[in-house]
Amino acid sequence: MATQAKSDFAHDGAPGHGARHVAIIMDGNGRWAKKRFMPRIAGHRAGVEAVRKVARAARELGLECLTLYAFSSENWKRPAGEVADLMSLLRRFIESDLDEFHANGVRLRVIGNYRALDASLVDMIDGAVARTAGNSGPIVAIALNYGAQDELVRAAQAIALRVRAGEIDPAAISLEDVAAGLDTADLPPLDLLIRTSGEQRLSNFMLWQAAYAELYFTDTLWPDFDARALAKALDAFRLRDRRFGGL
Ligand code: IPE
Ligand code: IPE
Ligand code: MG
């Protein structure tokens, strides 16, 4: 059965682990810093280093898409100073790393309601996404001001507009219509969802997309997560028996 489920899912040139799309809830920066008697921002800085390492590793491991939860729609509840630090780290990350992503053929994408961010940051993101859009390598999708419930509400609003315009009949609204209205519409299906730092919850991340994703929780704090840790998660994924409700 396991082999059957796997081969149904395999695609041409699939690497041994069989995963196309991995998403990560990058959690534990604050605790990493606290353990070192450092301010939380030091943990976030170390977290950016981990993003660099893991994005490279994802490419080397042959993933088609890596989605990283960087800022949730609920993270606005944090002190303004920490929110500002996170936004400025993001800005500097795009400035410093966009050339490398582009040179490696990576397509940069953003999911979440990022348009609500500071206008100059929105411009910067749009520029980075546009610059890499024609590449043919893996997708690195950053979830920014992302909340799965907000994403579903926005999808519902878009569908409601189509209904009002007479384009579709409410009774004909399909699973595909909903999926097409999500920020992930043109990303591969989610295979593996990783959360670091020992918490075992989704914190409003990819609720729809995770319907049949494999979940992997590790106690490793995000700044300590690296290529080896990603390879280990993919090893665990390879051994999972995915059934999708069948036998
Ligand atoms: C994850 O680390 C980064 C973001 C949520 C932006 P945290 O900042 O949540 O770190 P902990 O959970 O407090 O350790
Ligand atoms: C989830 O982590 C969000 C990101 C990693 C960006 P949080 O640290 O915000 O989640 P909770 O508050 O512990 O659920
Ligand atoms: Mg956290």
Side-chain angles (χ1 to χ4, degrees):
M1 271 311 155
T3 329
Q4 184 58 42
K6 223 28 124 187
S7 67
D8 282 350
F9 198 73
H11 59 109
D12 284 341
H17 51 71
R20 299 172 64 194
H21 184 175
V22 174
I24 310 182
I25 302 174
M26 310 185 288
D27 198 14
N29 294 351
R31 279 162 282 171
W32 184 93
K34 192 172 185 192
K35 265 173 51 181
R36 287 163 179 75
F37 306 101
M38 289 157 88
R40 292 180 59 85
I41 172 76
H44 294 314
R45 271 195 216 108
V48 173
E49 278 309 313
V51 168
R52 282 195 182 102
K53 284 187 211 159
V54 171
R56 281 186 201 124
R59 202 159 36 81
E60 281 156 17
L61 287 161
L63 294 182
E64 284 176 46
C65 183
L66 175 70
T67 300
L68 299 171
Y69 203 7
F71 192 87
S72 79
S73 50
E74 285 72 39
N75 286 148
W76 298 106
K77 294 176 189 166
R78 295 187 179 201
E82 177 162 347
V83 171
D85 283 345
L86 286 166
M87 293 301 157
S88 90
L89 275 179
L90 172 70
R91 211 181 274 271
R92 271 184 275 154
F93 175 69
I94 298 173
E95 272 165 8
S96 58
D97 285 54
L98 183 61
D99 284 347
E100 180 181 334
F101 279 129
H102 190 48
N104 287 318
V106 168
R107 282 171 287 170
L108 201 65
R109 294 283 307 272
V110 170
I111 64 169
N113 187 14
Y114 75 97
R115 298 206 169 272
L117 302 178
D118 183 77
S120 66
L121 189 53
V122 173
D123 284 349
M124 191 176 192
I125 290 167
D126 285 341
V129 170
R131 183 169 166 213
T132 59
N135 289 341
S136 52
I139 294 169
V140 172
I142 313 281
L144 276 182
N145 193 19
Y146 176 91
Q149 292 175 336
D150 171 66
E151 181 190 34
L152 282 159
V153 168
R154 287 186 285 109
Q157 288 169 343
I159 291 171
L161 288 176
R162 290 173 57 205
V163 168
R164 193 170 65 181
E167 288 171 30
I168 42 170
D169 174 3
I173 296 169
S174 66
L175 197 147
E176 288 76 19
D177 289 324
V178 176
L182 300 176
D183 299 342
T184 52
D186 53 358
L187 302 184
L190 182 61
D191 295 310
L192 175 63
L193 175 51
I194 298 172
R195 183 172 189 143
T196 61
S197 89
E199 309 299 345
Q200 302 199 2
R201 56 177 171 261
L202 297 181
S203 300
N204 203 10
F205 191 50
M206 299 185 94
L207 301 182
W208 171 281
Q209 297 85 346
Y212 272 104
E214 294 297 322
L215 307 181
Y216 180 89
F217 298 102
T218 170
D219 288 338
T220 303
L221 301 173
W222 174 250
D224 294 325
F225 197 87
D226 57 11
R228 187 195 287 262
L230 179 61
K232 196 174 154 202
L234 285 165
D235 279 345
F237 173 80
R238 195 168 45 83
L239 299 174
R240 301 280 177 93
D241 179 13
R242 298 186 85 189
R243 297 183 168 206
F244 300 97
L247 289 177

